[in-house]
Amino acid sequence: MLLNLTILPGDGIGPEVTDQAVLVLEALAEIFGHQLQLHRKNIGGAALTASNDPLPADTLQACLSSSAVLLGAVGGPAFDHFPNHLRPEAGLLRLRRELGAYANLRPAVCFPALEDCSPLRADVVHGTDILIVRELLGGLYFGQPRSIEGPAGSRNALNTMRYGEPEIARIAHIAFDLARKRRHKVRSVDKANVLECSRLWREVVTRTSQNYPDVKLSHMYVDSAAMSLVQRPRDFDVVLTENMFGDILSDQAGGIVGSLGLLASASIGGSVGLYEPVHGSAPDIAGKGIANPLGAILSVAMLLRYSFQLEREAACIENAVGTVLNRGHRTADLASSGQTALATPEMGHSVIAALADSGVGQAVPEKEKSA
Ligand code: IPM
Ligand code: MG
């Protein structure tokens, strides 16, 4: 198969982790006989520096004409004082909108080898396997009007949380469909005791659930969900929630399973899927070569699964990540005292070695190879 991708390394640790993810993808493509066409483009701070636009036209064009996009991270302290539309984050938000990527899937899985990396007791975190389904194009992130206005000293800031029924229904369908491939449970998270948006959310999600009698729906307020996530993470299967709540709860889920550095994401629903690790640009460790590339590598697995239906290839990467963790390989975010921390490229190489060891290349039957 021809995999035509746009690669957006971005800022901070983005380029470091993306390099490793691309090396893993190249190794995998070699094993399974796929052909890669990669176009590297700027986004975020890197694009602001090069061309004064966090999402330059040629970057957007490349993304729209490829089959999927792999992104590292955007943002950094150098751009904190920039006006809103010229911040690195604005480039990412515009890209999500232009791609129509309304469904953000963020799995948080506790790898057995990492149970002792969690700040929670191993018996609490053991078996955690959550899929956060975050609405990505609505709510406070995109609601109009938005502004900061008024004379210095007495300015007012305004953001708008807005959701329409079709927007809620389409993300609910995604969550219910995904729950059918998992443990058949959806927990919808809102703040319906306070917010109109959440009351509508709850109503539409409940109505949508009638099409899925085999999926058990429950509702929870976001404050209570935050607590339950640390008390009983294993109770959660699919978490369905709006944009801002999903942003917050997904970082929390990363902390629970041992490191945000492990979390991958897929943003789908539009014409072209966007795949990115959840961790962000991590300016404090950027350029040191110590970032964890596993979130980016696992994002490649999601890319293969959701944009190309290459389930076997996706599972192969996920198994290789499990293998390197079982072998005791750790980046700095995962290493406990006394353990050697691998550098970013070393972790990438371990995953590639595990891919090769898995013998999948030989496992592809000859007749399938030539088909
Ligand atoms: C994320 C990030 C982004 C978001 C930022 C960088 C705009 O935190 O993907 O979770 O808030 O969506
Ligand atoms: Mg976030």
Side-chain angles (χ1 to χ4, degrees):
M1 191 183 266
L2 172 67
L3 311 180
N4 172 20
L5 309 178
T6 300
I7 310 292
L8 307 175
D11 308 322
I13 61 171
E16 299 165 53
V17 298
T18 307
D19 278 352
Q20 297 312 310
V22 168
L23 289 172
V24 169
L25 176 62
E26 285 170 347
L28 185 99
E30 172 82 10
I31 293 173
F32 283 90
H34 298 303
Q35 201 191 328
L36 291 177
Q37 229 170 57
L38 307 180
H39 314 271
R40 282 186 175 69
K41 296 286 175 186
N42 281 329
I43 190 167
L48 278 166
T49 308
S51 55
N52 216 26
D53 181 350
L55 182 66
D58 76 312
T59 297
L60 178 59
Q61 197 40 56
C63 293
L64 286 169
S65 50
S66 56
S67 309
V69 179
L70 179 67
L71 184 141
V74 298
F79 308 98
D80 279 351
H81 60 283
F82 280 44
N84 214 17
H85 69 286
L86 284 183
R87 289 183 59 113
E89 292 81 359
L92 174 58
L93 296 181
R94 243 177 69 212
L95 179 62
R96 289 173 177 171
R97 198 183 54 209
E98 298 280 357
L99 298 181
Y102 66 85
N104 183 218
L105 318 185
R106 300 190 157 185
V109 177
C110 180
F111 285 92
L114 294 184
E115 280 173 12
D116 57 356
C117 289
S118 173
L120 303 183
R121 287 198 320 268
D123 66 297
V124 174
V125 77
H126 171 81
T128 296
D129 180 357
I130 304 171
L131 176 61
I132 296 177
V133 176
R134 169 189 177 195
E135 199 292 323
L136 202 58
L137 295 183
L140 286 168
Y141 277 63
F142 291 94
Q144 293 291 344
R146 58 187 298 161
S147 62
I148 303 184
E149 274 172 357
S154 51
R155 286 173 302 164
N156 283 306
L158 172 70
N159 287 100
T160 303
M161 187 187 265
R162 184 190 303 278
Y163 270 103
E165 297 198 41
E167 269 174 290
I168 303 170
R170 67 180 180 178
I171 190 73
H173 278 294
I174 298 268
F176 287 114
D177 283 332
L178 288 165
R180 282 187 161 163
K181 298 184 184 147
R182 297 170 48 95
R183 303 195 302 281
H184 292 249
K185 289 198 294 180
V186 170
R187 183 159 300 167
S188 175
V189 172
D190 62 37
K191 188 70 183 171
N193 50 345
V194 177
L195 302 175
E196 280 76 6
C197 276
S198 284
R199 283 202 273 275
L200 186 64
W201 180 277
R202 199 173 271 224
E203 199 186 302
V204 175
V205 169
T206 304
R207 193 197 308 145
T208 309
S209 76
Q210 289 161 6
N211 301 301
Y212 302 84
D214 53 322
V215 178
K216 188 175 173 316
L217 169 67
S218 58
H219 302 276
M220 206 176 238
Y221 298 141
V222 62
D223 47 354
S224 170
M227 182 181 67
S228 292
L229 266 176
V230 290
Q231 285 180 325
R232 292 179 301 278
R234 224 184 357 256
D235 281 3
F236 291 81
D237 179 13
V238 174
V239 172
L240 164 63
T241 194
E242 66 90 41
N243 206 345
M244 176 70 109
F245 298 158
D247 178 46
I248 298 168
L249 293 179
S250 55
D251 272 33
Q252 191 191 349
I256 288 170
V257 300
S259 170
L260 191 53
L262 295 165
L263 261 55
S265 84
S267 303
I268 58 171
S271 50
V272 179
L274 169 65
Y275 301 85
E276 48 178 317
V278 177
H279 50 61
S281 61
D284 52 326
I285 58 163
K288 295 187 180 165
I290 60 168
N292 185 347
L294 294 181
I297 290 169
L298 291 168
S299 298
V300 169
M302 295 191 85
L303 178 152
L304 295 166
R305 172 173 296 126
Y306 291 107
S307 281
F308 298 100
Q309 287 70 50
L310 293 173
E311 179 55 43
R312 201 169 46 173
E313 286 81 342
C316 181
I317 292 184
E318 288 161 351
N319 291 339
V321 168
T323 302
V324 303
L325 295 172
N326 288 339
R327 287 175 179 167
H329 300 302
R330 303 282 184 269
T331 38
D333 55 321
L334 298 172
S336 47
S337 60
Q339 276 179 320
T340 321
L342 296 187
T344 311
E346 290 173 323
M347 187 53 119
H349 293 157
S350 320
V351 175
I352 292 169
L355 281 180
D357 289 355
S358 69
V360 269
Q362 294 87 315
V364 181
E366 280 309 315
K367 74 172 188 316
E368 252 183 73
K369 269 191 187 163
S370 51

